[in-house]
Amino acid sequence: MSHSFFQPPAQDNYVLRNLRAPRCLLQVDAATADRLRPIHDGHSDLVAVDLRIAHGRIDAIAPAGSFDAASGPDLDASMVLPGMVDVHTHLDKGHIWPRQPNATGDGAGASKATGIDRTANWHADDVRQRMDFGLRTAYAKGVVAIRTHLDSLAPQAAISFPVFREMRERWTGRIELQASSIAPLNIFLTDEGRQLADIVAESGGRLGCVTKSMTYPADTMPPDLDEALVRVFQLAAERGLDLDLHVDESTDPAARSLIRVARTAIAQNFKGRILCGHVTSLALQTDDFIEETIAACKEAGIDIVSLPTVNMYLQDRSPEARTPRWRGVTVLHEMKARGLRVAVAGDNCRDPFYAYGDHDMLDTFTQAVKILHLDHPLGDWIRAATETPAAIMGIDRGTIKVGGPADLLVLKARSYSEMLARAQFDRTVIRAGRAIDTTLPDYRELDALMAV
Ligand SMILES: [Zn+2]
């Protein structure tokens, strides 16, 4: 049984009439753009549209009222969004919480708990079943593309990357999947780093690491940071790989790796794409240092992804009952204003790094608005959950355009006010012009895996 609030016609050609779409996500010609009626909510860029669907694709985008009643349902001002894009996740960690919770709720507790569970339980079938559960959940929510990090400390990369390749194949046409390695920085100073780069290259993945070292676990800036970063860049360049790094995920202002990543990229004349995630401690620097770091990122062509729900959960947490004093998120507004490409993403789900989450990019965006103050005005921030992560992934997704796939979320909400206020559990998810079943997988499916 599906909980979708409406079902589109089960036919190849129809029109969805009287929708509200973010102007910034509509790719239309200038003449059409001029005719789209803005919805003056003082807040955003919604416009009134009709969408004609033909054979699974968007066949026409026209001002609301362009098509007659016989052509398809009147959605009475419902919002429409393109299928959403989650550029930073950890599908291999997902849903292990019941068997390995995080005792302290902080980053150190998360790493420790995950290490114990990975060593004990992450055989191929365990990773496969949890990954599939996450993908089915995301699919039902309207997510069309996901990049997942894969814990890659030996021997895990040799287990998880083959499972990823299998899942990428199995999910073709439903969710476009990419992978990045994640491993402590120090392994790139050993042959394990080279072997990992080879596994990543064989899998069509991105090379990734954390800018922290197991050799110096207490240091947020390991003394061999620059030497190891150079090695990461060289291994990637030799294999033509893009980079995807976990950087400065810390409440310690001493964590200043991001600018070193940028300077290494410039010094190495690196040609690939670089995505840096988290960079939470940057928000604790002086304004001058923030500006200097953003300028270096701009020069190096670094893209940024913020993981607001996970950052707020892990950062500034104390062992005693002390109230957190900051939200744990990076300087996303400043980065966007300086022209960096910035995205928000879901990160962890029900694992030691985040006890909650439901693979729902619409919810991630909603929470990002509230945690990062993306509102008043909301402007074009919806791009950070759609078009921008798609561009970072190098895929043609996250917009609504003629000729593009009819992969859409239609919401009962008629405005951002209604959308951001109420969980959109009753959304209709359309894939290739047809409504899909939005029933979520039952957690009970994972009970056998959790019984250890
Ligand atoms: Zn992450």
Side-chain angles (χ1 to χ4, degrees), residues 287-452:
D287 288 350
D288 284 350
F289 188 75
I290 289 170
E291 288 299 326
E292 190 183 345
T293 302
I294 294 174
C297 289
K298 177 84 174 156
E299 187 183 348
I302 290 176
D303 302 318
I304 300 289
V305 60
S306 178
L307 299 309
T309 55
V310 173
N311 293 156
M312 198 161 75
Y313 176 81
L314 287 177
Q315 303 298 309
D316 204 14
R317 189 186 283 269
S318 305
E320 64 275 13
R322 172 189 173 275
T323 307
R325 301 292 201 273
W326 77 303
R327 295 170 187 229
V329 287
T330 195
V331 288
L332 213 61
H333 288 274
E334 291 82 348
M335 291 167 163
K336 182 169 185 265
R338 302 294 177 275
L340 299 195
R341 295 199 295 195
V342 299
V344 296
D347 212 2
N348 301 76
C349 268
R350 293 182 71 236
D351 68 32
F353 285 85
Y354 189 49
Y356 317 111
D358 207 13
H359 306 278
D360 181 1
M361 268 306 290
L362 187 58
D363 178 64
T364 295
F365 176 71
T366 297
Q367 298 206 49
V369 169
K370 296 164 188 176
I371 296 168
L372 281 151
H373 284 181
L374 305 182
D375 46 7
H376 318 319
L378 197 59
D380 66 351
W381 271 110
I382 188 68
R383 292 175 63 212
T386 51
E387 185 182 13
T388 305
I392 290 170
M393 288 178 74
I395 59 175
D396 187 13
R397 284 285 186 179
T399 62
I400 298 173
K401 64 177 182 180
V402 173
D407 294 341
L408 304 166
L409 279 69
V410 183
L411 312 179
K412 201 169 186 179
R414 297 165 299 173
S415 63
Y416 279 114
S417 169
E418 292 180 1
M419 181 189 108
L420 295 166
R422 180 177 287 176
Q424 300 297 310
F425 66 91
D426 54 353
R427 74 193 69 172
T428 293
V429 177
I430 296 175
R431 298 300 305 269
R434 301 294 173 103
I436 65 162
D437 185 353
T438 56
T439 308
L440 299 172
D442 190 329
Y443 292 128
R444 289 170 184 78
E445 288 181 33
L446 299 173
D447 284 353
L449 293 180
M450 295 305 121
V452 292

Side-chain angles (χ1 to χ4, degrees), residues 88-90 149 182 246 249 278 307 347-348:
H88 181 128
T89 68
H90 293 263
H149 293 264
I182 173 172
H246 280 67
E249 185 180 0
H278 296 290
L307 299 309
D347 212 2
N348 301 76

Side-chain angles (χ1 to χ4, degrees), residues 11-12 14 53-57 139 173 405-408 430-436:
Q11 56 198 54
D12 284 341
Y14 62 88
I53 313 295
H55 303 288
R57 301 211 157 255
Y139 180 73
D407 294 341
L408 304 166
I430 296 175
R431 298 300 305 269
R434 301 294 173 103
I436 65 162

